[in-house]
Amino acid sequence: SAYSKGLLDATRLENGGADAIVVENYAEPEMGAQAGTQSKVYMEHICAEIRKIVRRAELGMNVLPADVTAAFELAMTYNFDFVHADIYSDTVRSRETGAEIRVNLDYVSRFRRECEMKADERIPLIATVKPRHAYDVCGDEHIENSARRAAEYGADAIAVVGSGGMPPEKNDISRVKSLVRVPVGAGSGMNNATLEEYFMMVDFFLVSRFFRQDGDISKPIDERIVSFLANRKRYLMARNGLNGI
């Protein structure tokens, strides 16, 4: 089942040395920007179990492409460390359903402030801008405007992606980094070669397909590949005289 596969993936990522793990209902059919009651209940169960087995890596929450409020609710309830939004400051169109997806940034900001006041803590948000790795982005707005708006509406880090799962354009990364004062990461097309190529350009990496057996997103996490990339990262940090995770 998807439930047992999720627990197995989390265990392999933790054992392999991943710094952080994002829990998301990736394969669920898109029915809009908000998750239904059944989806939330399912996510509650798996979040509770994953929180028990993951002790070292940080845990992130992602609900559908754009249900940021549900992600913050779950993150607060189960003591997750951050939230990731595939869609945040852009309007996109799903390639699967043709539906237009847009986040109400004013509502999310108010909801987030209320959550922070109740919990007396701030849960960081990683926002992907121009998510053309998986969606058709509406309009021809420059990436700088998407990044600026994401930061203005509370993004604590920004992920830059490429088209069709390819690595991001280096010029896009440079433009975003010159504009915002938050960490900027690469969020698509990451593997052992691109890790080294982009290592000194970005602050973090989001890795997905490369960790899967045979590079197939439908297959389980391969713990050996996770370990390989984690060791490669440590080597690159030592070679470049860097500290931290």
Side-chain angles (χ1 to χ4, degrees):
S1 68
Y3 184 83
S4 59
K5 289 178 181 177
L7 296 179
L8 178 61
D9 282 347
T11 300
R12 289 177 173 177
L13 286 164
E14 167 90 338
N15 293 342
D19 298 312
I21 300 168
V22 177
V23 179
E24 61 178 318
N25 47 349
Y26 171 77
E28 184 169 331
E30 296 171 10
M31 301 300 292
Q34 280 75 46
T37 301
Q38 185 175 355
S39 294
K40 291 181 181 179
V41 170
Y42 178 84
M43 293 296 283
E44 286 175 354
H45 286 305
I46 197 164
C47 285
E49 292 304 312
I50 288 178
R51 180 70 280 177
K52 293 176 185 176
I53 64 177
V54 173
R55 298 298 183 184
R56 180 195 54 80
E58 293 194 346
L59 279 174
M61 190 71 247
N62 184 320
V63 179
L64 293 182
D67 196 342
V68 188
T69 55
F72 274 111
E73 285 181 325
L74 288 165
M76 288 182 57
T77 301
Y78 296 100
N79 195 30
F80 275 32
D81 302 287
F82 64 95
V83 164
H84 174 234
D86 287 312
I87 300 163
Y88 192 62
S89 57
D90 300 282
T91 299
V92 308
R93 192 172 301 280
S94 168
R95 292 174 187 161
E96 295 181 4
T97 66
E100 187 175 280
I101 305 173
R102 178 186 302 172
V103 175
N104 185 329
L105 295 175
D106 288 319
Y107 175 76
V108 169
S109 296
R110 290 194 301 270
F111 180 86
R112 190 179 180 190
R113 285 195 296 270
E114 292 171 2
C115 289
E116 290 170 0
M117 290 176 64
K118 291 177 183 177
D120 196 27
E121 67 172 328
R122 179 179 176 82
I123 298 175
L125 167 66
I126 300 174
T128 296
V129 294
K130 295 292 182 184
R132 49 199 171 207
H133 63 311
Y135 302 92
D136 293 323
V137 179
C138 301
D140 56 0
E141 184 179 52
H142 292 167
I143 195 170
E144 292 96 328
N145 293 332
S146 296
R148 183 187 294 110
R149 187 163 56 252
E152 287 174 352
Y153 279 90
D156 300 284
I158 290 174
V160 180
V161 297
S163 298
M166 297 296 290
E169 295 289 338
K170 293 178 180 178
N171 186 48
D172 284 348
I173 294 173
S174 298
R175 287 155 62 191
V176 171
K177 284 185 73 72
S178 68
L179 178 70
V180 299
R181 296 173 178 262
V182 298
V184 175
S188 66
M190 293 298 106
N191 53 43
N192 57 313
T194 50
L195 178 74
E196 182 163 1
E197 183 180 354
Y198 286 77
F199 195 77
M200 297 303 292
M201 293 185 62
V202 298
D203 301 296
F204 64 91
F205 295 91
L206 297 177
V207 184
S208 179
R209 189 179 298 272
F210 183 67
F211 282 157
R212 300 281 175 179
Q213 293 175 8
D214 304 320
D216 186 338
I217 197 67
S218 67
K219 291 186 177 181
I221 293 291
D222 189 326
E223 187 176 321
R224 295 170 300 175
I225 298 176
V226 179
S227 180
F228 168 75
L229 205 64
N231 288 334
R232 188 65 182 167
K233 184 211 71 170
R234 285 190 286 269
Y235 164 77
L236 291 171
M237 294 193 72
R239 190 180 74 178
N240 289 284
L242 301 174
N243 296 314
I245 64 169

